Amino acid sequence: MSVQILEQDLAAVVRNETTQAIEVMAGISPVGTADDENLGQEVLDEIVATLGFAGTNQGIFVLSTNQETAKTICAAMLCMEVSELDGLTEVSDGVGEILNMIAGNFKNAWLERGNKMEITIPSVSFGKPITFSTGKSLVTGYAAVVEYECGKLRIEARFYD
Amino acid sequence: MSKFLIVDDSATMRKIIVRNLRQAGVDVSSVAEAGDGIEGLAKLEEGPVDVILSDINMPNMNGLEFVAAVREKHADGPPILMVTTEGSEEVVQEALSKGANGYLKKPFTADDVREVIDRCLG
């Protein structure tokens, strides 16, 4: 079964909530965004945050980026220099919070369409490729790469059957 | 000078809230922090606070349960502001019905914080 791309309005929510979360909390504006049609693949990046959801559908949100980009964004959120960050603890927390905002605000849009959704607390991993195995088929999804002067990050929403 | 209690499972978000309070020109004399509602209740036992800011989605005891527990012991105050991504009318009304006084939606700016604090504290 081929994966359907999430309808345009909801795809825009995913994209816009990503850029807004970082713009409002870190004061960093994107220099470009692009849709990524590679859905449901193994996630290869230095920092990967995931957050699950259930309800009308079940699935996950995945936010991935490299350490330098994550550190720059998180330091800006905290009004600190990158060198002042407490190792990867604050980076992990900050990336998780950004994903929490993206998913939480997507949930609001999803609920307005008469759907149900409960989301989990985000979890963040470092340095390893992540593969998700649910025993279910990926039916709908959307991914975008957002580019900043400090690097790129990728947001993906996956809906399973 | 106001004493704040910030209840959020994200240490980074707690720091961001404090930063925004100070950027907004709010008079912050001291800040107590808690990682969930249970810790928040324990902090309140240590001494009174002037304002509470609480997330909703937290482990162990979520923000709605925390608000209800606080109001059971402190029906008339301190003011409680929910700081959360939850924006559904249902959740907002539930928080207010349990005794929350206001609502700050993530992501937020220092101006957003100032507006909610001013509205809550009059």
Side-chain angles (χ1 to χ4, degrees):
Chain A
M1 188 190 301
S2 62
V3 180
Q4 275 191 318
I5 304 299
L6 194 63
E7 62 171 276
Q8 276 194 1
D9 287 353
L10 289 171
V13 172
V14 174
R15 199 170 51 243
N16 294 339
E17 293 301 338
T18 302
T19 57
Q20 188 182 33
I22 293 169
E23 194 149 5
V24 172
M25 301 303 288
I28 299 176
S29 301
V31 297
T33 59
D35 294 347
D36 181 352
E37 292 178 0
N38 294 312
L39 301 174
Q41 307 300 312
E42 187 178 63
V43 181
L44 294 167
D45 221 326
E46 292 176 336
I47 294 182
V48 180
T50 58
L51 184 155
F53 62 86
T56 303
N57 293 85
Q58 57 185 333
I60 53 172
F61 290 93
V62 185
L63 181 67
S64 55
T65 188
N66 60 70
Q67 277 198 30
E68 285 313 304
T69 304
K71 283 178 182 177
T72 303
I73 291 172
C74 293
M77 285 167 69
L78 291 161
C79 279
M80 292 163 65
E81 298 296 325
V82 170
S83 57
E84 294 176 295
L85 289 171
D86 178 19
L88 286 175
T89 304
E90 283 170 325
V91 178
S92 167
D93 213 12
V95 172
E97 263 306 311
I98 291 169
L99 184 58
N100 193 39
M101 287 180 219
I102 296 166
N105 285 301
F106 180 89
K107 175 184 169 181
N108 296 331
W110 190 245
L111 294 182
E112 281 173 11
R113 286 161 169 77
N115 298 304
K116 293 181 182 177
M117 180 181 273
E118 294 300 331
I119 62 175
T120 68
I121 293 166
S123 60
V124 183
S125 61
F126 299 90
K128 298 175 187 175
I130 302 284
T131 302
F132 303 97
S133 176
T134 69
K136 295 185 178 289
S137 301
L138 180 65
V139 294
T140 308
Y142 173 74
V145 175
V146 185
E147 189 167 359
Y148 296 91
E149 285 187 2
C150 59
K152 296 180 183 179
L153 60 80
R154 183 177 182 277
I155 181 67
E156 182 177 359
R158 301 183 183 182
F159 289 70
Y160 295 93
D161 66 17
Chain B
M1 299 284 267
S2 300
K3 182 169 181 182
F4 286 78
L5 170 61
I6 298 172
V7 187
D8 195 306
D9 56 324
S10 165
T12 297
M13 184 49 63
R14 296 195 302 265
K15 289 180 189 173
I16 290 171
I17 291 170
V18 174
R19 172 176 71 80
N20 274 280
L21 284 169
R22 293 196 164 119
Q23 265 187 353
V26 176
D27 209 352
V28 179
S29 67
S30 70
V31 178
E33 297 184 28
D36 59 42
I38 294 176
E39 284 183 22
L41 291 175
K43 287 289 179 184
L44 284 173
E45 292 300 310
E46 293 175 11
V49 301
D50 298 303
V51 184
I52 299 172
L53 290 104
S54 176
D55 190 10
I56 289 182
N57 292 321
M58 297 183 288
N60 303 321
M61 178 186 274
N62 68 38
L64 297 176
E65 293 166 336
F66 171 64
V67 170
V70 171
R71 285 294 176 244
E72 203 174 304
K73 283 192 167 183
H74 310 278
D76 296 325
I80 304 173
L81 304 178
M82 312 312 295
V83 185
T84 181
T85 57
E86 290 278 358
S88 72
E89 191 58 33
E90 190 184 328
V91 173
V92 171
Q93 288 308 318
E94 188 178 355
L96 295 175
S97 73
K98 288 185 187 304
N101 301 88
Y103 207 89
L104 177 63
K105 199 164 165 304
K106 297 177 187 175
F108 53 83
T109 62
D111 286 345
D112 295 330
V113 172
R114 180 88 234 186
E115 189 183 321
V116 169
I117 294 279
D118 284 349
R119 206 182 315 134
C120 171
L121 299 181

